[in-house]
Amino acid sequence: VEASIPEPQRAAWKNFAPKPFTSSEEFEKDAIRHIETTLARSMYNCDEGAAYAGTALAFRDRLVIDWNKTQQNQTFKDPKRLYYLSLEFLMGRALDNAMLNVGQKDTATKGLSDMGFRMEDIIQQEHDAALGNGGLGRLAACFLDSMASLNYPAWGYGLRYRYGIFKQEIIDGYQVEVPDYWLDFNPWEFPRHDITVDIHFYGHVNRYQDDTGKTVCQWEGGEIVTACAFDVPIPGYDTSTTNNLRLWGSKAASGEFDFQKFNSGEYESSVADQQRAETISAVLYPNDNLERGKELRLKQQYFWCAASLFDIVRRFKKTKRSWSDFPNQVAIQLNDTHPTLAIPELLRILIDLEGLEWDEAWSIVHKTFGYTNHTVLPEALEKWSVPLMQHLLPRHLQIIYDINFQFLQYVERNFPKEREMLGRVSIIEESQPKMVRMAYLALIGSHKVNGVAELHSDLIKTTIFKDFVKIYGPDKFANVTNGITPRRWLHQANPRLSELIASKLGGYDYLKDLTLLHKLESFVDDKAFRKEWAEIKYANKVRLAKHIKETTGHSVNPSALFDIQVKRIHEYKRQQLNIFGVIHRYLAIKSMDAEARKQLAPRVSIFGGKAAPGYWMAKTVIHLINKVGDVINNDKDVGDLLKVIFIEDYNVSKAEIICPASDISEHISTAGTEASGTSNMKFVLNGGLIIGTCDGANIEITREIGENNIFLFGNLSEDVEDLRHGHVYGTYQLDEGLASVFDEIQKGTFGDANAFSALVNGIVEHGDYYLVSDDFNSYCKTQDLIDESYKNQDEWITKCITSVARMGFFSSDRCIDEYAEMIWNIEPIQPSKTTDGL
Ligand code: GL4
């Protein structure tokens, strides 16, 4: 590559390529130039929005240089790359992250202040990139940050939704959804009008023999939609490595067909075609842990898989290697089953387009893919109806049947005495209509399957994939416990705590190796350190209280115990257990004498999270929380002892304010239902304690930080099945405390009781599937323990500091190293030092 660029041209690039800012004046010069020329606005017209744009564009210029260099360097070295296929990337804001990773935030802060702006205000101008629902999407974003920070050659592939997750408004206590059109001004994406892929839907398969007598399949007819690439730079922390996230947008294919329509006067219908094509990437499906089997969703999945694979194969083919080298150059990770169609698609490319034989193609495919399972909830396991698949993707359905045929033959040969197993493990479920079980297809087509926390990885082996452990042996299954990026979730969200830690550890190296936090333990008795620690927590609570005041109008006391549960609203996450507990506490306070009240630590119960728009029970829980808040917050007799707050529109940028401000946060899913959870890690890393069940990563957090530093309660996952069975077939005994809570609801204390009858009856009459009643007593007692514990602030702070010191394991850097070593077999590429990237 180097030799092909003439010397004078290289010199020009070396001379004139933008360099890092050396002063705040240089930053200002660039920002103002962008405001004047790129935005065509003058000084008199420069509001905070324009200052944000100028700042973002000035940083973007620097980022792009590193990005180009990284890509050039990686193309030149041509290592094995990882491609992370995810339908969700919940990125949040980019500017602060870019400034911190590139390391010039202070320069820009000074420059902005010279221009009359405050950095905090400018950062808040940015719209969150909310292309995800919750933990699964945010995990993908943390992974991108770690891959770049560790210099791995890795790309993300996703969809460029025009509408991300909806904005939530609370009106009269009800959730109302408002569309999130976020692309008005997005300086972080680069449309690549020259990188397009035509994607085929519908039609039929033509099977014939070619000249040599070989059977060939040709997919014909149907319609074409074009995928257009939009690239987003992903800067690593303290490295110039800047990776790429490629998002596909859909548009109508511009073929002769359209021109004919134009010419024959069918202008309107040709515009309608255009709009139909654009709907494919228009909107993110707002369900977390739930699949609804809509045709447009399947179209999204194929559109994105086919475009990404075409791109990956095109890049591989440029290197002129033989096909058998493909798995040595390419690793593809499937983030849940959403991208499973990539498996039959790669087979189709290799067999139908490249002419490989089945066995060779299969061996390549199988070595290339890895599959991460993120849930065992039955309603979240993807199944697509065979007739729909036949209609939309006729060739892929054939390939899926071929995979299944080979697989079932293998099972039959190896387990001749277990014929009943065949029906259980078949990719095709023999229901009416037949269904394609995507998790089985993903598992069969991958060389490794992993869960996301130890308990979850064990559970998939004993429940949904039990038969497959027998068929393939245990080595096909692995665990990679989730993690979070400490850059965003400590350094960016909690700058003062980050600085305090750095002052004790002698710098910020811990942001690159989070296990270094263990050195904090030797400062646990350091008086000045503890004092500052407490001051920072208080300041973070003041910041959240200010946000609550501005958005809800309620004043909360920052000295009260802040008890926070923020996450998607879902029955399995049991926000209902929390709010019933709040009512229980309210009733207890009402019956207390003045002396008892004096003994009680004031509390603020804070909730936040979105319900899927069609999930009525989850919406009822939101409604109940708000109604209970209305009553308690206005009860003069209770005053500051208890407040209930629902924070509207929980998202990544709000999480950055909320996570540093907790004393206690709640991670209280029915044991065995939360695969991992990741906000549990965020809260502990920010010096908050947690109340939780023995579920997901709570178990490993307990192991790391010590059981004295966490408040665990409730039944264990191994007992859940028996308890449920007992509810249905035994005599059901409602917990007494919970019964008193239900009586209060029934009395109409929180408004029309009928509004909440489905919620109550789900527990009292319909089997209490999530074991709210079984865990209620244990939950309340543990909350009492928290009250006691919080009174001793000295011990409390010791617990917090000790916990933070022991959280090193939960960095997403550790996860990515584990994936790289165990599943992807990729190595880091050191960034090039030269200016031309070679
Ligand atoms: C989830 C799990 O519910 C959550 O526990 C886990 O932390 C996350 C990332 O692995 O994946 N699975 C689905 S589906 N949505 C999630 O957030």
Side-chain angles (χ1 to χ4, degrees), residues 485-545:
T485 169
R487 273 77 63 177
R488 183 176 293 258
W489 296 113
L490 180 53
H491 191 44
Q492 180 180 320
N494 201 344
R496 279 189 65 190
L497 188 63
S498 172
E499 196 184 328
L500 175 64
I501 294 172
S503 76
K504 291 295 170 196
L505 303 191
Y508 287 97
D509 280 356
Y510 72 92
L511 291 175
K512 291 194 280 185
D513 174 2
L514 201 62
T515 61
L516 293 175
L517 281 179
H518 78 87
K519 294 187 194 159
L520 273 186
E521 273 197 66
S522 56
F523 298 97
V524 76
D525 295 322
D526 177 329
K527 282 236 172 66
F529 174 65
R530 293 170 63 91
K531 183 161 170 276
E532 208 170 328
W533 185 282
E535 277 169 18
I536 291 170
K537 176 60 77 181
Y538 185 78
N540 288 332
K541 289 167 72 178
V542 170
R543 178 168 68 152
L544 179 58

Side-chain angles (χ1 to χ4, degrees), residues 97 626 645 693:
N97 180 248
N626 283 299
I645 301 294
T693 44

Side-chain angles (χ1 to χ4, degrees), residues 134-136 139 288-289 336 374-375 452 482 572 674-678:
L136 175 145
L139 185 76
D288 186 68
N289 269 292
D336 216 281
H374 291 271
T375 182
V452 291
N482 283 168
Y572 87 82
E674 188 73 276
S676 161
T678 41

Side-chain angles (χ1 to χ4, degrees), residues 68 78 90 103 185 277 286 297 413 416 744:
N68 289 344
D78 197 30
L90 195 43
F185 173 73
R297 167 82 168 187
R413 269 201 309 277
E744 202 63 28

Side-chain angles (χ1 to χ4, degrees), residues 582-595:
V582 168
I583 297 174
H584 192 257
R585 171 173 291 260
Y586 175 61
L587 297 177
I589 293 172
K590 295 293 281 183
S591 69
M592 276 178 194
D593 59 23
E595 194 45 43

